[in-house]
Amino acid sequence: MQSRRQFLSFAGGAVLSAGSFVPQRLFAETPGPHRTLSLGTRTIDVNGRAATVFGILDGAGQSGLDLYRSEGLNIRLANGTDASTVIHWHGLTPPFEYDGTEVSQALVAPGATHDYRFDLSRSGTFWMHSHHGLTEQNLLAAPLIVRADSERAIDRQDVTIMLHDFSFTPPEELLARLTGQDATVIGSGTAAMNMGMIRTGPGSMAGTGGMDHAVMGHGNMQMDLNDIAFDAYLANDRELSDPLVVQVDRGGRARLRIINGAASTNFWIELGALSGALAAVDGMDVSPVFGRRFEIAMAQRLDIEVVVPGSGGAFPILAQREGDRARTGIVLATAGAAVARVPSEAERIAPPVLLDLERQLVAATPLAARIPDRRIALDLTGDMISYVWGLNGLTYGERSPLEVASSERVEITLRNQTMMSHPMHLHGHHFQVVGLGAARLNGALRDTVIVPPMESVTIAFDANNPGEWPLHCHNLYHMAAGMMTTVEYV
């Protein structure tokens, strides 16, 4: 079970690749924060080629954070890269000034630090990632696991699986091919927050190497699926030619904490010979859903409980890209088990990730019953030809913030007027899915929900965290091309 790569122990059994981590600057430690998170570069192996990517490591050399809720989040972010950035705590609900976006704070300059201190309102599987430019695509992201203090006594192994899509082509060039712009303009830092970007030429659907404009049927429609043909799909920084193998006990319980950190890919999770009980989505408990196959959109998380057979063996946990045969994954294996090679392509093309799982989800602790004080309709707009994406026909630079008031119950109906799915993420709040089309339901509490083409999803939340909070598509390239607004307390 040894590998050619270097690894760091993570989350009680899972490991994430550290590669050769290079914090490019040194920092003087000062009293105060409990931990330091260092941003730097590292080298990983992708299909036999060395790739330089970013990393987020804590003071103990672990990727990301694994802490108990009672500790709170009390860290110093140290930017050891050569570029200004900011890190967002995806799924947490901090005070506005600690959200980690350009809306809430200034960028952290190279060599600079920024402190974050706030209580943690809940435990769960969360993650952290860059919210500036396109550096999230280059793996400037990591797990953020918050455990309930009661979990100290639980006899269970946790395995964290972080999914990514990867390209050797710089993300600025990928976006330039999609939009028809000059990659040097995109690389100047205008992308992803200065959204209404000027187009220097028409979008082209032909001759765009690295682009993937596959379509697939959805009802009577032909939906667009994947924007980009990536070079690899990674699970804990590795592809299936050299997967991570996690040793598990015969008859033991394991909780799979699966994080879709991909910039532009939805996946199907395949448990193979194992049966699973889905216990939480986006860090929020749900009534158990049993199965061997679960869908996960960009930025979403799944907590799946499995029991390892007493007879032992090797058990691949796979993630297959929608509309494609490509897949990645890890292997759970008991001591002495033979681990067979798993092909990086499945036999069949995976269907689109839609709302089939969403219809089955019921929140373990739903929002209190209440008539909404404010209802908002928000159209998701844009197309693959122009590659200008927006909300109500407006890009981020043209936006009119959605206004709410403190203590209101707010419902937002997200109406997708495009032929692509959009995973919509609201900062600073957890919302409940209360409507799929015309049907009402008592669905899951989430922070990210997928809205398929020509469908609508209604979410409800309590306006209890004042600020101006981003609401955006979590497909990085859609967000960079304009699909973002803010929810502003007035």
Side-chain angles (χ1 to χ4, degrees):
M1 297 184 184
Q2 297 300 313
S3 164
R4 64 181 181 272
R5 299 191 182 106
Q6 299 173 340
F7 293 93
L8 292 173
S9 179
F10 183 84
V15 292
L16 293 180
S17 169
S20 50
F21 185 75
V22 184
Q24 296 171 325
R25 301 171 187 271
L26 300 177
F27 304 87
E29 293 290 340
T30 58
H34 293 163
R35 309 184 189 210
T36 295
L37 279 179
S38 298
L39 311 183
T41 58
R42 58 205 173 97
T43 301
I44 63 174
D45 183 290
V46 180
N47 292 327
R49 294 174 59 185
T52 300
V53 297
F54 291 109
I56 308 176
L57 269 66
D58 71 6
Q62 295 180 323
S63 181
L65 285 175
D66 190 331
L67 67 166
Y68 286 96
R69 178 185 168 189
S70 60
E71 299 177 56
L73 192 135
N74 184 3
I75 65 105
R76 172 160 294 157
L77 185 71
N79 185 5
T81 74
D82 287 332
S84 296
T85 192
V86 65
I87 299 298
H88 168 55
W89 319 104
H90 189 117
L92 302 187
T93 54
F96 171 64
E97 62 269 26
Y98 293 130
D99 187 43
T101 72
E102 291 177 75
V103 181
S104 61
Q105 68 167 86
L107 294 175
V108 183
T113 65
H114 193 89
D115 292 350
Y116 298 84
R117 299 186 185 189
F118 55 87
D119 292 335
L120 295 168
S121 61
R122 65 187 76 245
S123 58
T125 301
F126 309 109
W127 64 302
M128 62 187 85
H129 60 82
S130 166
H131 217 284
H132 172 67
L134 302 172
T135 48
E136 180 192 333
Q137 176 70 86
N138 284 340
L139 277 59
L140 192 50
L144 174 50
I145 308 302
V146 179
R147 301 177 187 278
D149 286 77
S150 59
E151 291 185 65
R152 297 178 193 268
I154 294 179
D155 182 17
R156 181 188 69 203
Q157 181 175 357
D158 275 18
V159 179
T160 298
I161 305 172
M162 186 90 172
L163 303 174
H164 284 292
D165 40 26
F166 175 83
S167 177
F168 285 102
T169 303
E172 294 80 12
E173 184 176 339
L174 293 175
L175 181 59
R177 294 175 185 177
L178 288 164
T179 62
Q181 295 186 71
D182 184 343
T184 60
V185 174
I186 294 172
S188 68
T190 59
M193 289 306 293
N194 299 324
M195 294 299 177
M197 298 188 297
I198 298 173
R199 291 173 51 77
T200 59
S204 174
M205 297 297 286
T208 52
M211 301 302 103
D212 182 352
H213 305 297
V215 295
M216 183 169 284
H218 171 41
N220 295 321
M221 301 181 297
Q222 289 294 314
M223 63 182 291
D224 296 311
L225 284 179
N226 299 303
D227 303 71
I228 296 167
F230 289 98
D231 293 315
Y233 303 92
L234 308 178
N236 293 7
D237 293 345
R238 306 170 72 171
E239 13 79 27
L240 279 174
S241 67
D242 179 29
L244 170 67
V245 178
V246 178
Q247 185 167 315
V248 292
D249 295 331
R250 297 169 185 263
R253 295 172 55 204
R255 187 179 185 100
L256 308 178
R257 296 180 180 267
I258 303 173
I259 303 167
N260 187 354
S264 187
T265 302
N266 300 321
F267 292 99
W268 285 89
I269 304 301
E270 304 274 359
L271 303 183
L274 299 179
S275 295
L278 178 63
V281 297
D282 294 359
M284 312 293 287
D285 290 345
V286 295
S287 298
V289 176
F290 300 93
R292 300 177 187 266
R293 195 164 183 256
F294 301 91
E295 49 196 337
I296 184 170
M298 288 161 253
Q300 292 182 338
R301 286 87 65 210
L302 302 177
D303 283 27
I304 304 174
E305 304 270 1
V306 297
V307 177
V308 179
S311 57
F315 307 96
I317 307 297
L318 302 176
Q320 183 177 345
R321 188 191 201 204
E322 69 170 343
D324 201 347
R325 290 186 173 86
R327 61 186 180 183
T328 185
I330 71 164
V331 179
L332 306 180
T334 56
V339 179
R341 181 165 184 148
V342 180
S344 60
E345 289 197 348
E347 293 181 0
R348 295 181 177 84
I349 293 175
V353 170
L354 300 171
L355 293 170
D356 300 314
L357 177 60
E358 207 67 47
R359 291 186 177 91
Q360 302 177 60
L361 299 178
V362 177
T365 307
L367 294 179
R370 179 177 170 185
I371 297 174
D373 301 289
R374 190 183 299 256
R375 289 185 171 93
I376 299 170
L378 190 63
D379 286 342
L380 285 52
T381 54
D383 62 84
M384 285 291 290
I385 300 294
S386 68
Y387 216 81
V388 175
W389 303 98
L391 296 169
N392 286 343
L394 304 176
T395 62
Y396 179 74
E398 305 163 334
R399 76 190 184 283
S400 296
L402 307 179
E403 295 184 346
V404 301
S406 291
S407 302
E408 288 185 332
R409 169 67 58 83
V410 180
E411 283 195 3
I412 300 178
T413 298
L414 304 163
R415 305 184 301 200
N416 189 353
Q417 308 295 338
T418 81
M419 296 310 297
M420 286 202 79
S421 292
H422 301 286
M424 298 302 296
H425 171 50
L426 174 63
H427 289 225
H429 304 77
H430 292 107
F431 55 75
Q432 186 171 9
V433 178
V434 296
L436 299 177
R440 300 288 293 189
L441 73 160
N442 197 27
L445 285 167
R446 282 194 175 277
D447 56 59
T448 307
V449 67
I450 193 167
V451 188
M454 299 300 168
E455 296 199 32
S456 66
V457 175
T458 301
I459 62 174
F461 65 93
D462 290 326
N464 54 14
N465 197 6
E468 185 178 1
W469 300 97
L471 171 62
H472 62 89
C473 177
H474 220 284
N475 184 317
L476 179 63
Y477 298 93
H478 294 183
M479 183 177 73
M483 190 171 276
M484 174 165 144
T485 187
T486 53
V487 173
E488 183 176 8
Y489 282 65
V490 297

